[in-house]
Short mmCIF file of all heavy atoms in Angstrom, two decimals:
data_model
loop_
_atom_site.label_atom_id
_atom_site.label_comp_id
_atom_site.label_asym_id
_atom_site.label_seq_id
_atom_site.Cartn_x
_atom_site.Cartn_y
_atom_site.Cartn_z
N GLY A 1 6.28 19.73 -16.74
CA GLY A 1 7.28 20.79 -16.60
C GLY A 1 8.68 20.22 -16.55
O GLY A 1 8.92 19.06 -16.90
N THR A 2 9.61 21.02 -16.08
CA THR A 2 11.01 20.61 -16.02
C THR A 2 11.27 19.81 -14.75
O THR A 2 10.98 20.28 -13.65
CB THR A 2 11.93 21.83 -16.05
OG1 THR A 2 11.66 22.60 -17.23
CG2 THR A 2 13.39 21.40 -16.04
N PRO A 3 11.83 18.60 -14.86
CA PRO A 3 12.18 17.85 -13.65
C PRO A 3 13.20 18.60 -12.81
O PRO A 3 14.10 19.26 -13.34
CB PRO A 3 12.77 16.54 -14.21
CG PRO A 3 12.23 16.44 -15.61
CD PRO A 3 12.11 17.84 -16.10
N HIS A 4 13.05 18.52 -11.50
CA HIS A 4 13.96 19.20 -10.57
C HIS A 4 15.07 18.24 -10.16
O HIS A 4 14.82 17.19 -9.57
CB HIS A 4 13.20 19.69 -9.35
CG HIS A 4 14.07 20.27 -8.28
ND1 HIS A 4 14.91 21.35 -8.50
CD2 HIS A 4 14.25 19.93 -6.97
CE1 HIS A 4 15.56 21.63 -7.39
NE2 HIS A 4 15.18 20.78 -6.45
N GLN A 5 16.32 18.61 -10.46
CA GLN A 5 17.47 17.77 -10.13
C GLN A 5 17.88 18.00 -8.68
O GLN A 5 18.05 19.13 -8.24
CB GLN A 5 18.64 18.09 -11.06
CG GLN A 5 19.84 17.18 -10.86
CD GLN A 5 20.94 17.42 -11.89
OE1 GLN A 5 20.69 18.02 -12.94
NE2 GLN A 5 22.14 16.97 -11.59
N LEU A 6 18.06 16.88 -7.94
CA LEU A 6 18.36 16.96 -6.52
C LEU A 6 19.82 16.69 -6.19
O LEU A 6 20.32 17.15 -5.15
CB LEU A 6 17.49 15.95 -5.75
CG LEU A 6 15.98 16.14 -5.85
CD1 LEU A 6 15.26 14.96 -5.22
CD2 LEU A 6 15.55 17.44 -5.19
N THR A 7 20.51 15.94 -7.01
CA THR A 7 21.91 15.61 -6.75
C THR A 7 22.75 16.08 -7.94
O THR A 7 22.28 16.12 -9.07
CB THR A 7 22.10 14.10 -6.53
OG1 THR A 7 21.57 13.38 -7.67
CG2 THR A 7 21.37 13.64 -5.27
N HIS A 8 24.03 16.38 -7.66
CA HIS A 8 24.83 17.04 -8.69
C HIS A 8 26.29 16.57 -8.68
O HIS A 8 27.13 17.22 -9.31
CB HIS A 8 24.79 18.56 -8.48
CG HIS A 8 23.41 19.12 -8.41
ND1 HIS A 8 22.73 19.59 -9.52
CD2 HIS A 8 22.56 19.29 -7.35
CE1 HIS A 8 21.54 20.02 -9.16
NE2 HIS A 8 21.40 19.85 -7.84
N ASP A 9 26.61 15.50 -7.99
CA ASP A 9 28.01 15.12 -7.87
C ASP A 9 28.37 14.01 -8.86
O ASP A 9 27.59 13.66 -9.74
CB ASP A 9 28.34 14.71 -6.43
CG ASP A 9 27.45 13.56 -5.95
OD1 ASP A 9 26.89 12.84 -6.79
OD2 ASP A 9 27.31 13.40 -4.72
N LYS A 10 29.54 13.43 -8.69
CA LYS A 10 30.05 12.43 -9.63
C LYS A 10 29.85 11.01 -9.09
O LYS A 10 30.76 10.19 -9.12
CB LYS A 10 31.52 12.70 -9.94
CG LYS A 10 31.73 14.02 -10.64
CD LYS A 10 33.10 14.14 -11.27
CE LYS A 10 33.19 15.43 -12.05
NZ LYS A 10 34.34 15.50 -12.94
N HIS A 11 28.64 10.76 -8.60
CA HIS A 11 28.26 9.42 -8.17
C HIS A 11 26.97 9.02 -8.89
O HIS A 11 26.22 9.87 -9.36
CB HIS A 11 28.04 9.37 -6.65
CG HIS A 11 29.29 9.56 -5.86
ND1 HIS A 11 29.66 10.77 -5.32
CD2 HIS A 11 30.27 8.69 -5.52
CE1 HIS A 11 30.82 10.64 -4.67
NE2 HIS A 11 31.20 9.38 -4.78
N ASP A 12 26.74 7.70 -8.94
CA ASP A 12 25.51 7.19 -9.52
C ASP A 12 24.53 6.85 -8.40
O ASP A 12 24.88 6.14 -7.45
CB ASP A 12 25.79 5.93 -10.35
CG ASP A 12 26.57 6.24 -11.61
OD1 ASP A 12 26.22 7.23 -12.28
OD2 ASP A 12 27.54 5.52 -11.92
N TYR A 13 23.31 7.34 -8.53
CA TYR A 13 22.28 7.16 -7.51
C TYR A 13 21.27 6.12 -7.97
O TYR A 13 20.89 6.07 -9.14
CB TYR A 13 21.58 8.49 -7.22
CG TYR A 13 22.47 9.47 -6.50
CD1 TYR A 13 23.40 10.23 -7.20
CD2 TYR A 13 22.39 9.61 -5.12
CE1 TYR A 13 24.25 11.12 -6.53
CE2 TYR A 13 23.22 10.50 -4.45
CZ TYR A 13 24.15 11.25 -5.16
OH TYR A 13 24.98 12.11 -4.49
N GLY A 14 20.83 5.29 -7.01
CA GLY A 14 19.87 4.24 -7.31
C GLY A 14 18.43 4.72 -7.22
O GLY A 14 18.16 5.86 -6.83
N SER A 15 17.51 3.82 -7.55
CA SER A 15 16.09 4.16 -7.64
C SER A 15 15.56 4.66 -6.30
O SER A 15 15.68 3.99 -5.28
CB SER A 15 15.30 2.93 -8.08
OG SER A 15 15.79 2.45 -9.32
N PRO A 16 14.93 5.85 -6.27
CA PRO A 16 14.46 6.42 -5.00
C PRO A 16 13.04 5.99 -4.65
O PRO A 16 12.25 5.61 -5.51
CB PRO A 16 14.48 7.93 -5.30
CG PRO A 16 14.16 8.01 -6.77
CD PRO A 16 14.78 6.78 -7.40
N ILE A 17 12.73 6.03 -3.36
CA ILE A 17 11.36 5.89 -2.86
C ILE A 17 11.07 7.05 -1.93
O ILE A 17 12.00 7.67 -1.38
CB ILE A 17 11.14 4.54 -2.14
CG1 ILE A 17 12.06 4.43 -0.91
CG2 ILE A 17 11.34 3.37 -3.08
CD1 ILE A 17 11.74 3.25 -0.01
N TRP A 18 9.80 7.36 -1.72
CA TRP A 18 9.40 8.51 -0.91
C TRP A 18 9.16 8.14 0.55
O TRP A 18 8.71 7.04 0.85
CB TRP A 18 8.09 9.10 -1.46
CG TRP A 18 8.21 9.76 -2.79
CD1 TRP A 18 8.19 9.15 -4.01
CD2 TRP A 18 8.34 11.16 -3.04
NE1 TRP A 18 8.31 10.08 -5.01
CE2 TRP A 18 8.40 11.34 -4.43
CE3 TRP A 18 8.41 12.29 -2.21
CZ2 TRP A 18 8.53 12.58 -5.03
CZ3 TRP A 18 8.54 13.54 -2.81
CH2 TRP A 18 8.61 13.69 -4.20
N SER A 19 9.44 9.09 1.43
CA SER A 19 8.99 8.96 2.81
C SER A 19 7.49 9.19 2.86
O SER A 19 6.89 9.75 1.94
CB SER A 19 9.72 9.97 3.72
OG SER A 19 9.36 11.30 3.36
N LYS A 20 6.87 8.77 3.94
CA LYS A 20 5.41 8.87 4.06
C LYS A 20 4.95 10.34 4.05
O LYS A 20 3.89 10.66 3.48
CB LYS A 20 4.96 8.20 5.36
CG LYS A 20 3.48 7.88 5.40
CD LYS A 20 3.14 6.63 4.59
CE LYS A 20 1.70 6.21 4.79
NZ LYS A 20 1.34 4.98 4.07
N ASP A 21 5.73 11.22 4.66
CA ASP A 21 5.33 12.62 4.73
C ASP A 21 5.77 13.43 3.52
O ASP A 21 5.52 14.64 3.44
CB ASP A 21 5.86 13.27 6.01
CG ASP A 21 7.38 13.24 6.10
OD1 ASP A 21 8.05 12.88 5.11
OD2 ASP A 21 7.91 13.57 7.19
N GLY A 22 6.46 12.79 2.56
CA GLY A 22 6.87 13.48 1.34
C GLY A 22 8.04 14.42 1.50
O GLY A 22 8.35 15.19 0.58
N LYS A 23 8.73 14.35 2.65
CA LYS A 23 9.83 15.28 2.90
C LYS A 23 11.20 14.70 2.58
O LYS A 23 12.19 15.43 2.54
CB LYS A 23 9.81 15.73 4.37
CG LYS A 23 8.57 16.54 4.74
CD LYS A 23 8.60 16.96 6.20
CE LYS A 23 7.37 17.80 6.55
NZ LYS A 23 7.38 18.24 7.97
N LYS A 24 11.26 13.39 2.36
CA LYS A 24 12.54 12.74 2.11
C LYS A 24 12.41 11.72 0.98
O LYS A 24 11.31 11.23 0.68
CB LYS A 24 13.05 12.02 3.36
CG LYS A 24 13.46 12.91 4.51
CD LYS A 24 13.99 12.07 5.67
CE LYS A 24 14.45 12.96 6.82
NZ LYS A 24 14.98 12.16 7.96
N LEU A 25 13.56 11.36 0.40
CA LEU A 25 13.68 10.21 -0.48
C LEU A 25 14.67 9.24 0.15
O LEU A 25 15.62 9.65 0.83
CB LEU A 25 14.20 10.63 -1.86
CG LEU A 25 13.33 11.57 -2.69
CD1 LEU A 25 14.03 11.86 -4.02
CD2 LEU A 25 11.94 10.99 -2.93
N TYR A 26 14.44 7.96 -0.06
CA TYR A 26 15.39 6.92 0.35
C TYR A 26 15.88 6.23 -0.92
O TYR A 26 15.12 6.02 -1.87
CB TYR A 26 14.72 5.91 1.27
CG TYR A 26 14.10 6.52 2.51
CD1 TYR A 26 12.72 6.64 2.63
CD2 TYR A 26 14.90 6.97 3.56
CE1 TYR A 26 12.15 7.20 3.76
CE2 TYR A 26 14.34 7.53 4.70
CZ TYR A 26 12.96 7.65 4.79
OH TYR A 26 12.38 8.21 5.91
N PHE A 27 17.16 5.86 -0.92
CA PHE A 27 17.74 5.26 -2.12
C PHE A 27 19.01 4.51 -1.75
O PHE A 27 19.54 4.66 -0.64
CB PHE A 27 18.05 6.34 -3.16
CG PHE A 27 19.01 7.40 -2.67
CD1 PHE A 27 20.37 7.25 -2.85
CD2 PHE A 27 18.54 8.53 -2.01
CE1 PHE A 27 21.26 8.21 -2.38
CE2 PHE A 27 19.42 9.50 -1.53
CZ PHE A 27 20.79 9.34 -1.72
N SER A 28 19.48 3.71 -2.69
CA SER A 28 20.75 2.99 -2.54
C SER A 28 21.78 3.60 -3.48
O SER A 28 21.46 3.98 -4.61
CB SER A 28 20.56 1.51 -2.86
OG SER A 28 21.80 0.82 -2.87
N ALA A 29 23.00 3.68 -3.02
CA ALA A 29 24.09 4.21 -3.85
C ALA A 29 25.43 3.84 -3.20
O ALA A 29 25.49 3.51 -2.01
CB ALA A 29 23.98 5.73 -4.01
#
């Protein structure tokens, strides 16, 4: 299906990883 976009600003986001409970992403930027 269509990927869901989570961020929308004028910054570049680094590779995300998932929290154990699936409620958060962690990333570097």
Side-chain angles (χ1 to χ4, degrees):
T2 303
H4 174 58
Q5 185 174 342
L6 300 172
T7 56
H8 306 269
D9 57 21
K10 296 195 175 194
H11 292 98
D12 291 315
Y13 290 81
S15 302
I17 61 170
W18 291 83
S19 65
K20 197 78 172 182
D21 60 10
K23 295 180 178 180
K24 291 182 179 180
L25 297 179
Y26 304 106
F27 59 91
S28 173

